[in-house]
Amino acid sequence: MLHKKLVYKSEFPVAPGGTLSEAIDYLKISPADLAQITHTTASYVEGVLDGTAAITTDFAEGLTKIMKVPADFWLRYDADYWRLKALEEKRAKKLID
């Protein structure tokens, strides 16, 4: 039997914080609880949730233990977000110039 890995690619930056926020709501975990569980700070978790802080490898590994979602999912999701955000900002700058 073949196993095919499906990959979703967006053309617009979508911060992983939205998905993470839904997940912690489902699990009934507060951002402060998530910070404690993943050995980070509440301000870092809030930054990830609002799309202003990048997901680190350590944080992604911590998420894996809680959510059973592979760390590489979070890291790829985050990398794609920052890449697309940079492209969007570059396009916007060209429109202004």
Side-chain angles (χ1 to χ4, degrees):
M1 180 177 205
L2 293 175
H3 293 278
K4 193 173 192 178
K5 188 175 191 178
L6 299 177
V7 178
Y8 170 77
K9 289 286 184 181
S10 174
E11 293 181 25
F12 306 98
V14 178
T19 302
L20 183 55
S21 181
E22 290 177 11
I24 66 173
D25 284 348
Y26 177 78
L27 295 170
K28 297 184 181 6
I29 299 172
S30 72
D33 293 336
L34 183 60
Q36 186 175 11
I37 294 165
T38 58
H39 308 288
T40 59
T41 65
S43 62
Y44 170 74
V45 171
E46 291 291 342
V48 170
L49 294 176
D50 68 19
T52 60
I55 292 177
T56 64
T57 302
D58 288 341
F59 186 63
E61 292 292 337
L63 293 175
T64 297
K65 292 174 185 171
I66 300 164
M67 299 182 194
K68 309 298 184 229
V69 175
D72 69 321
F73 166 82
W74 296 107
L75 294 169
R76 282 183 285 129
Y77 193 167
D78 192 60
D80 198 43
Y81 165 68
W82 290 103
R83 180 183 63 81
L84 291 171
K85 185 174 178 182
L87 287 173
E88 186 177 75
E89 289 170 0
K90 188 175 180 180
R91 281 188 223 121
K93 185 175 172 30
K94 282 185 179 180
L95 290 175
I96 294 171
D97 290 342

